[in-house]
Every structure is written in C-alpha cells, then in structure tokens.
Amino acid sequence: MKVSIITVVFNGAEHIRDCIESVLNQTYTDIEYIVVDGKSTDGTVDIIRSYGTKIARFVSEPDKGLYDAMNKGIGMATGDVIGLLNADDFYRHDRVIDNMVATFVRTNSDAVYGDMIYVDRLDSQKLKRYWRSGWYRDNAFLWGWMPGHLSFFAKRWLYEKHGLFRLDMKSAADYELMLRFIHKNKAKLAYMDEVTIVMRAGGISNSSLKNRIRANQEDRIAWELNGLTPYFFTLWLKPLRKLKQYITKPPAIPTTTVK
C-alpha cells in the first residue's frame, strides 16, 4: 500500500526540519512525500531542497492559504492513502505509518484516525493538551465528536469521489471535509488507539473567544452546505468536549504494531 504524506508550509524554517525528519525516519518504506511551499522567504526552501530526492514532489509558489496548498498536494498524490502533516508538527514515533497501514489492512477501512497531543511551541517536551479521539459510533458528529484532522488518513478515492477542502470554509474546512466524508457519505472508519501526531500549540480557531464563536458559526455552515441538520446542542458540545483534553495525559509511546 503506497502512502502519500503531504506537508504544506509558509515561512516555517524554525520547525520544518523536525517535520521532514519525522516522515523520512518512518520504518514504512512505501511513502511518497510531497511538500507544498507558499513561496517562503525565510530559508524554508533551502532546507527543503537540502533533502534532495528524499522528497518525491516539491513545489514552491504562491497559494490561497493552508487548504488551497493542501488541495494542491492531494492533486499531486499518487498513493493509495493520503495523510497530512503540517510544517510545525511531527509524528510521535517512527512506526506511525507502519501501524496505520496495518490498521487499514486489518479492518479494510476507508479511513483511519488516531490521537494527537499538543505541546508548547517553544518546548516540545511540555504537554499542553491530549486529543483522544476515541472509538467512532454512528452519528457521533451529532454529539460534537470529530477526530483530530492531522491524525486522519484517508483513501485517495474518498477525495476523488467526495471532493477536496472547501476554500470558503476558512478555519472549519477540515471539519467540513470530515463531516462530508464520515457523517454524510458514511466512510468506513478504523481507530488507532495511540498518539500519532505531535502538534505545536497555536491553532487559529481556538486562539480566542472571538475566534471560537466564529469557528462555531463556520461549523454550522458546514452542516448547511451538506444538507444536514445538527441537534440544537451539537455545535456547542464540540468545543465543550475539548475541555477534557487539558487534564488527561497521553499513554507512553507504543513499541509494537497496533492489534
């Protein structure tokens, strides 16, 4: 099974090397690594180019933002499975892709997701938040559930059949896409019960109350665009479910493939 990993970046020289190394150090060998740069000016491009042919596809050109760049990467991907890893983030250990592929094979699923941790932007050893996605149940989106976006690996045909990220959704584009794939079109899911992604804290949608309210409004639009109706409490349960993430600690790094 060929896996395409896509990293999008703009002026990410501070952390891009950690991100790239976490992909190149994976024990799984059939990885197509694609990097989409938004015409960086801070040395990012030189760092990326220093890896030569270890990066299968690289483009550096202006784009319309994060999700436009992701769509470009998806359009270049030739793998059976597509995963996304932002330039500030990295895989927690070197068997993440091995474990993910094993989960696809074992469950014959359309998409696989896992857990994520957020760490301090300056100190990656300082835990800020643990996003335990948990097992999916039918209609879980109605109860405010969603998997961590960067822990979500999807078969390429899902993008080809159901579409890419909507650029008009802004910070809720990842939520809208997973709502479309999972809740509306019933993609078959499998859960990797382990932390797959380490993210440096600083997401746009949760950075202030104003941004949280705006994100809630965009989440509602995501349901409307898909012809879906949430419960009256659905969109407020979504941020409330995150409160537990600040007090729960993640398990140790696993040493074996998931069962």
Side-chain angles (χ1 to χ4, degrees):
M1 182 179 292
K2 184 177 181 180
V3 178
S4 296
I5 303 299
I6 299 164
T7 291
V8 301
V9 59
F10 177 68
N11 286 346
E14 183 178 8
H15 299 301
I16 186 65
R17 197 177 295 279
D18 289 344
C19 174
I20 292 173
E21 295 285 349
S22 81
V23 176
L24 299 183
N25 289 335
Q26 291 295 302
T27 56
Y28 193 75
T29 56
D30 197 2
I31 295 177
E32 173 188 56
Y33 192 26
I34 299 168
V35 180
V36 180
D37 175 72
K39 205 66 175 178
S40 293
T41 58
D42 68 340
T44 296
V45 172
D46 291 335
I47 294 172
I48 297 168
R49 285 179 173 157
S50 72
Y51 288 92
T53 58
K54 293 179 180 180
I55 296 175
R57 300 288 301 274
F58 170 55
V59 61
S60 180
E61 61 187 22
D63 55 51
K64 298 175 183 177
L66 176 68
Y67 295 106
D68 180 43
M70 287 181 175
N71 285 345
K72 286 183 182 181
I74 293 168
M76 290 188 279
T78 62
D80 305 291
V81 172
I82 292 175
L84 299 161
L85 184 67
N86 288 340
D88 286 343
D89 311 324
F90 53 94
Y91 290 121
R92 195 184 188 205
H93 58 83
D94 63 6
R95 293 189 59 82
V96 168
I97 304 303
D98 255 316
N99 291 356
M100 177 270 293
V101 170
T103 304
F104 266 109
V105 172
R106 175 176 55 81
T107 61
N108 192 31
S109 295
D110 303 322
V112 169
Y113 66 95
D115 300 335
M116 306 190 309
I117 57 175
Y118 289 75
V119 296
D120 185 85
R121 190 165 189 84
L122 300 178
D123 181 2
S124 62
Q125 300 302 310
K126 186 176 180 180
L127 178 68
K128 304 287 284 187
R129 183 176 154 200
Y130 167 36
W131 186 326
R132 176 172 168 77
S133 297
W135 300 93
Y136 175 73
R137 295 176 176 81
D138 287 344
N139 294 321
F141 273 84
L142 288 167
W143 296 89
W145 180 89
M146 68 174 286
H149 175 222
L150 294 181
S151 77
F152 182 74
F153 298 87
K155 292 284 184 67
R156 180 161 52 92
W157 70 261
L158 281 171
Y159 291 98
E160 293 171 345
K161 182 176 181 179
H162 301 305
L164 305 178
F165 292 101
R166 291 186 59 119
L167 303 188
D168 56 345
M169 286 306 299
K170 300 179 182 178
S171 66
D174 53 354
Y175 178 68
E176 188 280 327
L177 180 133
M178 290 188 291
L179 180 72
R180 185 181 353 128
F181 282 9
I182 301 168
H183 186 72
K184 181 178 181 179
N185 291 296
K186 308 301 181 185
K188 182 181 178 183
L189 292 186
Y191 174 46
M192 286 173 63
D193 190 3
E194 67 166 277
V195 175
T196 59
I197 305 292
V198 180
M199 298 185 66
R200 288 183 170 87
I204 295 173
S205 62
N206 297 308
S207 59
S208 69
L209 177 60
K210 179 180 179 181
N211 285 340
R212 181 59 257 170
I213 292 172
R214 185 177 64 187
N216 182 273
Q217 294 170 340
E218 291 178 5
D219 290 347
R220 186 173 300 279
I221 292 171
W223 285 78
E224 294 173 355
L225 288 172
N226 285 285
L228 301 168
T229 303
Y231 294 143
F232 72 92
F233 52 75
T234 297
L235 301 176
W236 293 110
L237 273 182
K238 181 170 172 276
L240 288 175
R241 289 175 67 103
K242 295 181 179 179
L243 294 178
K244 187 178 179 181
Q245 298 173 9
Y246 292 92
I247 59 175
T248 306
K249 293 186 177 181
I253 296 175
T255 56
T256 58
T257 303
V258 292
K259 299 178 180 178

